[in-house]
PDB file of all heavy atoms in Angstrom:
ATOM      1  N   ASP A  92      32.532  62.518  15.406  1.00 96.00           N
ATOM      2  CA  ASP A  92      32.215  63.729  16.060  1.00 96.00           C
ATOM      3  C   ASP A  92      31.291  64.671  15.355  1.00 96.00           C
ATOM      4  O   ASP A  92      31.035  65.767  15.693  1.00 96.00           O
ATOM      5  CB  ASP A  92      33.544  64.498  16.355  1.00 96.00           C
ATOM      6  CG  ASP A  92      34.221  64.943  15.081  1.00 96.00           C
ATOM      7  OD1 ASP A  92      33.724  64.694  13.978  1.00 96.00           O
ATOM      8  OD2 ASP A  92      35.305  65.643  15.129  1.00 96.00           O
ATOM      9  N   ASN A  94      31.583  65.476  12.028  1.00 97.00           N
ATOM     10  CA  ASN A  94      32.268  66.100  10.947  1.00 97.00           C
ATOM     11  C   ASN A  94      32.104  65.334   9.680  1.00 97.00           C
ATOM     12  O   ASN A  94      32.925  64.395   9.347  1.00 97.00           O
ATOM     13  CB  ASN A  94      33.711  66.368  11.288  1.00 97.00           C
ATOM     14  CG  ASN A  94      34.428  67.246  10.229  1.00 97.00           C
ATOM     15  OD1 ASN A  94      33.831  67.481   9.183  1.00 97.00           O
ATOM     16  ND2 ASN A  94      35.572  67.735  10.546  1.00 97.00           N
ATOM     17  N   THR A  96      32.478  66.245   6.722  1.00 97.00           N
ATOM     18  CA  THR A  96      33.559  66.566   5.737  1.00 97.00           C
ATOM     19  C   THR A  96      34.694  65.563   5.803  1.00 97.00           C
ATOM     20  O   THR A  96      35.366  65.338   4.795  1.00 97.00           O
ATOM     21  CB  THR A  96      34.065  67.991   5.935  1.00 97.00           C
ATOM     22  OG1 THR A  96      33.008  68.872   6.045  1.00 97.00           O
ATOM     23  CG2 THR A  96      34.998  68.439   4.846  1.00 97.00           C
ATOM     24  N   LYS A  97      34.918  65.044   6.930  1.00 97.00           N
ATOM     25  CA  LYS A  97      36.016  64.176   7.215  1.00 97.00           C
ATOM     26  C   LYS A  97      35.706  62.758   6.802  1.00 97.00           C
ATOM     27  O   LYS A  97      36.581  62.068   6.256  1.00 97.00           O
ATOM     28  CB  LYS A  97      36.366  64.177   8.692  1.00 97.00           C
ATOM     29  CG  LYS A  97      37.747  63.630   9.005  1.00 97.00           C
ATOM     30  CD  LYS A  97      38.266  64.193  10.390  1.00 97.00           C
ATOM     31  CE  LYS A  97      39.667  63.750  10.617  1.00 97.00           C
ATOM     32  NZ  LYS A  97      40.097  64.237  11.908  1.00 97.00           N
ATOM     33  N   LEU A 334      28.678  69.447  14.474  1.00 96.00           N
ATOM     34  CA  LEU A 334      29.745  68.886  15.296  1.00 96.00           C
ATOM     35  C   LEU A 334      29.416  68.877  16.763  1.00 96.00           C
ATOM     36  O   LEU A 334      28.894  69.836  17.293  1.00 96.00           O
ATOM     37  CB  LEU A 334      31.045  69.711  15.079  1.00 96.00           C
ATOM     38  CG  LEU A 334      31.980  69.213  13.999  1.00 96.00           C
ATOM     39  CD1 LEU A 334      31.596  69.979  12.726  1.00 96.00           C
ATOM     40  CD2 LEU A 334      33.359  69.386  14.302  1.00 96.00           C
TER      41      LEU A 334
HETATM   42  C1  NAG B 503      36.319  68.541   9.626  1.00 63.91           C
HETATM   43  O1  NAG B 503      37.090  67.726   8.831  1.00 63.91           O
HETATM   44  C2  NAG B 503      37.752  68.460   7.779  1.00 63.91           C
HETATM   45  C3  NAG B 503      38.365  67.503   6.822  1.00 63.91           C
HETATM   46  O2  NAG B 503      39.195  66.605   7.542  1.00 63.91           O
HETATM   47  C4  NAG B 503      38.727  69.403   8.466  1.00 63.91           C
HETATM   48  O3  NAG B 503      39.445  70.153   7.462  1.00 63.91           O
HETATM   49  C5  NAG B 503      38.070  70.363   9.387  1.00 63.91           C
HETATM   50  O4  NAG B 503      38.958  71.130  10.076  1.00 63.91           O
HETATM   51  C6  NAG B 503      37.230  69.578  10.371  1.00 63.91           C
HETATM   52  N1  NAG B 503      36.369  70.482  11.157  1.00 63.91           N
HETATM   53  C7  NAG B 503      36.491  70.614  12.427  1.00 63.91           C
HETATM   54  C8  NAG B 503      35.704  71.636  13.093  1.00 63.91           C
HETATM   55  O5  NAG B 503      37.131  69.848  13.102  1.00 63.91           O
END
Side-chain angles (χ1 to χ4, degrees):
D92 65 358
N94 188 346
T96 307
K97 194 161 189 177
L334 270 93

